Each structure stands twice: as C-alpha cells, then as structure tokens.
Amino acid sequence: MGKITGFKEFDRQERPYKPVAERVSNFDEFVMPLGDQEVKTQAARCMDCGIPYCHSGCPVMNQIPDWNDLVYGEDWEEAARNLHSTNNFPEFTGRICPAPCEASCTLNIDDNPVAIKTIECAIIDRAWEEGWVVPEVPEQKTGKKVAIVGSGPAGLAAAQQLARTGHDVHVYEKQARPGGLLRYGIPDFKMSKHLVERRAKQMEAEGVTFHCNRHVGVDTDVADLERNHDAVLLAGGSEDPRDLAVPGRDLDGVHFAMDFLRQQNKRIGREDLGDVTPILAGGKHVVVIGGGDTGSDCIGTSFRQGALSVTQLEIMAAPPEKENKALSWPHWPLKMRTSSSQAEGAERDFAVMTTHFSGDKGKVKTLHGTRVDSAMKPIDGSEFELPADLVLLAMGFVNPVHDGMLKQLSVSLDGRGNVKADTEAYQTNRWKVFSAGDMRRGQSLVVWAIREGRQAARSIDEFLMGASTLPR
C-alpha cells in the first residue's frame, strides 16, 4: 500500500493549528489542511503490513490501506468513492473522530502512525470541492415508509442508506434543524455546521423528508408514527446527563455542560434561545467537572466567550504519559491526552472530588473539593477551594430519556437503561420498531453511531423486503 518504503523515508505530519491567540477570538474551525502533495506523502507512509489492524480499529471498517494507495497514486475521485463505501459522512469523522484507527496502525508501535484522519478529511473535502459528491437518487421506489426518530449521526446514516434503496424516509427531530449532537453539541470551532447543512440538502434530494421541531412522545404521538409507517427506528441518542448530588447543586451558575454548549451553537446558528436563562462564561472563573470530550468542548467554548480562567477536574487518577505498547496495541490505550481546547490554557487536576458548592445571594462562588485515593475515598486534610462563578457538569450521560417516547412505546431496556436491541437485527421487543446509536449502545463516538445507523438500515431493509443489498 502506498509506497513500500514510505514509512522509512517520510516522517508523520499532522495538520497544524492556528495560534491560540488567534483561534480563541472566534468560533471558526482552526485546523489548517495540508496541501495535496503533503497528503500524498502521508499516504505513502502506509506500509504493506500484511494485517491492517486499522480495519478493526475503525468502527465503520474503512478500507484505509486502499484509499491511502489511491491517494498516493493521485486517484482522488476513486479514493472518495472507496471512502464513501463504508462511511456516509467522512467530513464529520475526519474532524471530530479520536481516530482509533491510528492507535491500531502498525506504525503506532513506534508512536508514528499513518496520519489516517488527516488523509480522510483531505479526500472528502476535495471530493466536495470537485463536485464528486452528488445525490444518489434510487431508480425506483419500494412503496415502504420508514420513520426515524432523531437526526444525529445514527439517524442520518440510516436515513441516507434507506432512502438510497428506495424507501420513503421521514426523519423526526425535536430541534429546529437536523443534525442532533453534530449540530447542537459539538462546537463550531471543531466542526462547522455548514457541513451538516450540506449533507441534509443532499439527503433531501435523495428523498429524505426532515420534520423539525417535532418532539416525538411530547408533541408528536409515537403511536401514530408506529401506525403510519412500515418500520420505525429510534435513534434519539443518550441525553439523560449524570448529575452531581452535592450541597449547593441548586445554586445559580451550576449547569449541565450540554445546556451550555447547545446555547452557544444556537447563538452562532442565529436560532432563538427561547425563554431560557443565558449561560455565558465571559468574565468568569469557570470550573468544568468531567475529563472527557464534552468537558473539553466546554473549555474551548469558555475561552472563546472570554472566561477569566478555566479549571477542569477529573475524579479519576491521572493516566500514564505513555502506554505500554506490549499490553495495549492494537487497542485504544489509556494514556494522557491533551486536547486542543485544554492546550488553550486550562488548568487540569486529577483524583479530586467535589464535596459541595457555596455562594452569595443564590449564585455559586466557590467549589469545595477533596483529593481521593485509588479507591476514590476522600483523603483527610486534602480539602481545597476553587473560585467558581460558572460550574459545568460534564460527567457523561446515564441513558436515553425514558419519559415520553420510550415509556409510551413500552420498549424493553437493558441493564444500563438503554433500549434493548442486539447488533444483528437492531430490533426491539416491538415488532417493527428498531433502535441504533447511543440510544441503544449508550454514549459513544460519532463513528460508532454511523456504523450502527448503517447496520440498522440493512436490518430494516431486510425486514421490509425480505432481503437487502445494503452493506453492513
């Protein structure tokens, strides 16, 4: 693949970032693409490794060595076709995926994996620029009607696959515009929303109908949906946030992270925020509780809003600076990672627990915490305080929201409170109701949602037609 000796001749090169001082002044994307020749050189590093572990590392099983070889041979259009054969939205994953494929790359044994994510993004961006990405309209309709609840990556992937095979697909989204987490959770500086809008227009041309401002189970009857469609896919995500039950939680200024992020995305999209209280970080000492991607997004957003300081707290101990390759490779390793947002000036602290908040006149002013041992037990004498004018809870999500649609449907839930369905049929206990994405598997990556949406689409197609030509 690529150039057989390329991995010995060329060093790994990633896309550079704009300087911190420049990028925190706006919400624009700040990752600077490589030139075509530089991307070709990176593709040349893909070695003839015999067993491409990147395949198993990638949830959608991208044919990475194949499109690396095509880029090296300058056949960009065929590379784009190959990339789309496994991934409906590579411009999303090329920007926001943590790239487990790179962790699985054979060259990662020496900490120099192929720049797979950079190459993927370059292929799809060029494909859009050249006009190679066009609506794929089915030659004939099946006469079957499918409802999809939720327009996040799982719902979008399933909708596109099902529409292309000829079904009449209707996507129901509770927000004003399609995209789900892609639009309302991920900050614009990580992924511009014109990318989502562009795909939605493509899908509409392929026959997908979006019904926005329709909250199924609240203002849209789920029984009618089930009655009027031949199949229903539940792809509403995992939106019940993990809360922090400590004294002072009810003080003004303590908010769930997603409420903060959603508001900012709506501001940029010029959407009406309604009658909610604005959550803004400007001129404040911000504390983010939770060390994952959502917490990192809160950091970057806070800096761009003008926060005085941002501190991120994590209850887990600090991971090792470097993984033990002999034990971890080719799997995703536990090690210290610093996101672009964290590198913008955030203070990070590990193995700490919040005990309570205190404030003045109903507003939060101070976070009180303690350090914890390996069993997460408080260490006597380690108590501390942090100034906190805004506290953002980014501790993950426990399960999909049960009230409304799920209770009305009486679908079975698994032990973690997610909709119960296997990864073969993706079918719930209700005959023509399916589920995929975070609503089924729990909070996860966009790339996993795309995979589940694609696989669920094939299962639905088989359910409706008796057989399917859609890929899994």
Side-chain angles (χ1 to χ4, degrees), residues 415-428:
R416 296 185 299 152
N418 301 316
V419 176
K420 189 175 182 179
D422 62 33
T423 56
E424 288 298 319
Y426 288 89
Q427 196 165 11
T428 71

Side-chain angles (χ1 to χ4, degrees), residues 207-466:
V208 176
T209 302
F210 290 101
H211 304 270
C212 294
N213 288 316
R214 298 283 295 275
H215 195 170
V216 177
V218 177
D219 57 30
T220 299
D221 187 58
V222 67
D224 286 344
L225 229 63
E226 188 178 20
R227 186 182 309 112
N228 297 326
H229 294 80
D230 298 294
V232 177
L233 175 64
L234 308 180
S238 180
E239 292 190 314
D240 191 0
R242 184 170 286 108
D243 208 343
L244 187 62
V246 298
R249 166 64 180 88
D250 58 346
L251 287 170
D252 183 19
V254 183
H255 301 276
F256 287 119
M258 200 53 64
D259 293 336
F260 173 67
L261 296 173
R262 187 183 300 113
Q263 280 194 17
Q264 183 56 40
N265 282 11
K266 286 187 174 184
R267 286 189 194 97
I268 295 173
R270 300 183 183 277
E271 289 188 40
D272 183 12
L273 296 183
D275 58 358
V276 300
T277 301
I279 308 172
L280 294 166
K284 296 177 181 178
H285 295 289
V286 180
V287 179
V288 178
I289 301 177
D293 289 339
T294 301
S296 180
D297 293 344
C298 288
I299 292 171
T301 302
S302 295
F303 280 131
R304 283 159 180 76
Q305 289 186 357
L308 294 177
S309 68
V310 183
T311 304
Q312 185 176 34
L313 304 180
E314 169 62 68
I315 195 170
M316 303 295 292
E321 290 291 334
K322 181 176 170 56
E323 74 271 33
N324 184 333
K325 298 288 186 184
L327 295 178
S328 63
W329 183 84
H331 303 293
W332 183 255
L334 175 65
K335 67 176 181 178
M336 181 67 78
R337 292 179 172 86
T338 299
S339 71
S340 59
S341 291
Q342 291 164 338
E344 290 168 357
E347 295 292 330
R348 302 167 69 186
D349 205 351
F350 296 86
V352 296
M353 175 189 294
T354 301
T355 58
H356 64 285
F357 304 108
S358 62
D360 180 43
K361 297 179 180 179
K363 297 182 181 296
V364 68
K365 291 295 178 184
T366 306
L367 179 146
H368 303 262
T370 180
R371 303 202 171 275
V372 296
D373 59 20
S374 58
M376 296 188 188
K377 300 297 184 182
I379 298 173
D380 291 339
S382 67
E383 296 81 6
F384 65 91
E385 297 180 0
L386 284 175
D389 306 306
L390 175 62
V391 177
L392 301 171
L393 306 180
M395 303 176 295
F397 301 85
V398 291
N399 46 239
V401 174
H402 294 161
D403 289 339
M405 179 179 69
L406 297 186
K407 283 188 177 180
Q408 291 170 20
L409 274 175
S410 298
V411 291
S412 297
L413 305 176
D414 65 17
R416 296 185 299 152
N418 301 316
V419 176
K420 189 175 182 179
D422 62 33
T423 56
E424 288 298 319
Y426 288 89
Q427 196 165 11
T428 71
N429 59 302
R430 296 186 72 89
W431 178 58
K432 62 179 179 179
V433 179
F434 299 74
S435 186
D438 289 6
M439 182 164 271
R440 190 207 68 83
R441 69 179 287 116
Q443 67 172 48
S444 188
L445 304 176
V446 166
V447 68
W448 273 107
I450 293 173
R451 169 183 173 143
E452 294 217 348
R454 288 172 60 88
Q455 292 187 339
R458 178 184 170 93
S459 294
I460 292 170
D461 190 35
E462 287 179 332
F463 171 80
L464 295 175
M465 308 303 293

Side-chain angles (χ1 to χ4, degrees), residues 63-121:
Q63 298 170 30
I64 295 163
D66 299 78
W67 42 256
N68 278 333
D69 188 47
L70 289 164
V71 169
Y72 177 65
E74 300 187 9
D75 192 348
W76 290 81
E77 186 171 3
E78 181 62 19
R81 187 207 62 77
N82 185 295
L83 182 54
H84 271 123
S85 71
T86 55
N87 185 353
N88 294 69
F89 315 117
E91 66 270 38
F92 302 163
T93 52
R95 285 169 168 81
I96 59 176
C97 185
C101 54
E102 293 189 15
S104 297
C105 177
T106 301
L107 290 177
N108 192 42
I109 294 174
D110 193 34
D111 288 320
N112 283 296
V114 173
I116 299 169
K117 182 176 172 181
T118 292
I119 300 167
E120 175 184 33
C121 200

